[in-house]
């Protein structure tokens, strides 16, 4: 069976580097994985620039592809995939799955940031990587970059999940995005799975995460589950 490729989209403060362990595991399962670096990580670019980078990555793949968005990454994935002829499934990993016309600030009930760039959280080690091997977690913290503040107030212009089948992966021990919030967002998804991890299973349990991604992205059909 010809399987779709998988495009992995990182969250705020991160980069493509965070998917390296998962990519190795996916390759061992016979899957082809791609990544994209979002412009808003490390610069003042906003949601729409991030969505354009994802659209470009999908066009470059030029074949059926399932798109995975982690945390903030789910926000531009939602816009970028609307109307795509190539995307077979959306996977939201502890991610923002919002409706068109909405911003993260509104959804989270938080005021806009007062600076153009937002530094990584001071407690990133505990907040993002609570169940990650300490050496791996320390390396990850050292790789984090400032994040554009604009991404919190920019509004979605479209929502791909309205027409593309979607899967939401809830991280049950997440200290960054409360599982209860994830459950609310997941109500929009076609299918929901739970992971017994904190916010970064791509570093804490890359094997099980890759296996789950392998299973939920096998289908090339564009029929909502």
């Amino acid at each position: 069976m010809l399987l779709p490729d998988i495009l992995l989209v990182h969250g705020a403060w991160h980069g493509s580097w965070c998917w390296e362990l998962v990519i190795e595991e996916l390759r061992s399962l016979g899957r082809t994985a791609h990544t994209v670096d979002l412009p808003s990580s490390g610069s003042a670019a906003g949601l729409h620039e991030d969505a354009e980078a994802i659209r470009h990555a999908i066009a470059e793949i030029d074949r059926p592809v399932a798109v995975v968005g982690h945390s903030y990454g789910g926000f531009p994935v939602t816009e970028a995939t609307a109307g795509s002829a190539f995307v077979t499934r959306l996977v939201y990993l502890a991610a923002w799955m919002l409706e068109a016309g909405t911003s993260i600030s509104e959804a989270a009930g938080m005021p806009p940031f007062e600076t153009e760039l937002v530094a990584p959280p001071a407690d990133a080690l505990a907040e993002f990587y609570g169940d990650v091997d300490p050496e791996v977690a320390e390396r990850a913290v050292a790789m984090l970059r400032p994040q554009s503040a604009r991404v919190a107030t920019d509004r979605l212009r479209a929502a791909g999940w309205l027409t593309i089948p979607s899967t939401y992966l809830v991280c049950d021990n997440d200290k960054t995005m409360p599982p209860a919030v994830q459950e609310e967002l997941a109500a929009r998804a076609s299918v929901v799975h739970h992971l017994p991890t904190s916010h970064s299973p791509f570093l804490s349990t890359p094997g099980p995460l890759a296996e789950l991604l392998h299973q939920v992205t096998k289908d090339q059909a564009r029929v909502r589950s």
Side-chain angles (χ1 to χ4, degrees), residues 100-215:
T102 308
S103 72
I104 289 177
S105 288
E106 289 176 334
M110 66 182 190
F113 293 107
E114 297 181 354
T115 57
E116 186 176 70
L117 294 175
V118 182
D123 59 347
L125 197 63
E127 187 172 337
F128 294 155
Y129 313 122
D131 57 352
V132 177
D133 176 89
E135 289 188 10
V136 175
E138 290 284 358
R139 287 197 298 270
V141 169
M143 296 284 285
L144 298 177
R145 295 173 292 186
Q147 176 69 34
S148 170
R150 280 177 52 201
V151 301
T153 52
D154 285 347
R155 296 176 183 273
L156 282 174
R157 295 184 291 202
W161 55 262
L162 288 172
T163 56
I164 301 170
S166 56
T167 298
Y168 200 104
L169 306 182
V170 178
C171 293
D172 288 333
N173 298 318
D174 200 326
K175 290 181 171 58
T176 303
M177 182 178 287
V181 172
Q182 294 182 49
E183 291 276 13
E184 291 181 14
L185 298 170
R188 299 185 173 102
S190 312
V191 181
V192 180
H193 293 275
H194 287 256
L195 296 169
T197 70
S198 66
H199 193 60
S200 304
F202 43 83
L203 294 179
S204 62
T205 58
L209 175 59
E211 178 60 38
L212 183 55
L213 292 177
H214 173 54
Q215 294 300 326

Side-chain angles (χ1 to χ4, degrees), residues 7 9 32 45 53 95 98 191 219:
L7 176 62
V9 182
T32 300
L98 299 177
V191 181
D219 190 5

